[in-house]
């Protein structure tokens, strides 16, 4: 059994999973994420629609882990891009990993390096 360290949701076996959650785990400590049982996805979506980068980043994690929403790497990447374009460092880093792994976006090493460098 493999669990998402953020939401304790089931993850695919290691052969089908990127290193995204493990590579970014130290950065999670700076992200304010409500406890899974208390998360109000409706409120989070409202904040996303208002352009809140932190909400975009958090909802991206929800989509990546499949917690409170169906798992969808493409939607996670879209949300992380929106936050990353506003300068959200964790979203920039995560988007770079998505490009490196080809999760939710076409695999592109050049884009991966570009986004990860912005996060430094």
């Amino acid at each position: 059994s493999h669990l998402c360290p953020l939401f304790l949701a089931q993850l695919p076996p290691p052969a089908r999973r990127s290193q995204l959650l493990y590579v970014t785990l130290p950065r999670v400590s700076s992200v304010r994420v409500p406890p899974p049982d208390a998360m109000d996805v409706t409120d989070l979506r409202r904040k996303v629609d208002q352009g809140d980068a932190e909400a975009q980043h958090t909802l991206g994690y929800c989509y990546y882990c499949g917690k409170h929403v169906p798992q969808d790497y493409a939607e996670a990447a879209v949300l992380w891009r929106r936050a990353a374009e506003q300068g959200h460092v964790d979203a920039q880093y995560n988007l770079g990993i998505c490009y490196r792994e080809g999760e939710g976006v076409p695999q592109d090493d050049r884009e991966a390096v570009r986004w990860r460098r912005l996060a430094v």
Side-chain angles (χ1 to χ4, degrees), residues 20 23-33 53-54 56-58 61 76 79-81 83-98 115-116 118-120:
L20 177 65
V23 170
T24 62
L25 190 56
R27 295 177 174 273
V28 171
S29 64
S30 68
V31 176
R32 292 181 182 162
V33 180
E54 189 64 40
Q56 292 162 348
H57 182 249
T58 301
Y61 265 114
L79 289 162
W80 283 336
R81 176 179 293 280
E85 288 173 346
Q86 294 182 64
H88 193 287
V89 175
D90 295 320
Q92 291 169 340
Y93 188 88
N94 290 344
L95 186 58
I97 299 299
C98 286
W115 284 108
R116 290 178 69 196
L118 284 173
V120 175

Side-chain angles (χ1 to χ4, degrees), residues 40-52 55-56 59 82:
D40 181 353
V41 176
T42 303
D43 184 53
L44 198 56
R45 286 184 198 277
R46 182 183 53 75
K47 290 177 181 177
V48 164
D49 291 341
Q50 292 173 349
D52 184 314
Q56 292 162 348
L59 191 56
R82 288 173 66 185

Side-chain angles (χ1 to χ4, degrees), residues 94-106:
N94 290 344
L95 186 58
I97 299 299
C98 286
Y99 275 108
R100 185 188 76 192
E101 299 297 322
E103 290 187 335
V105 293

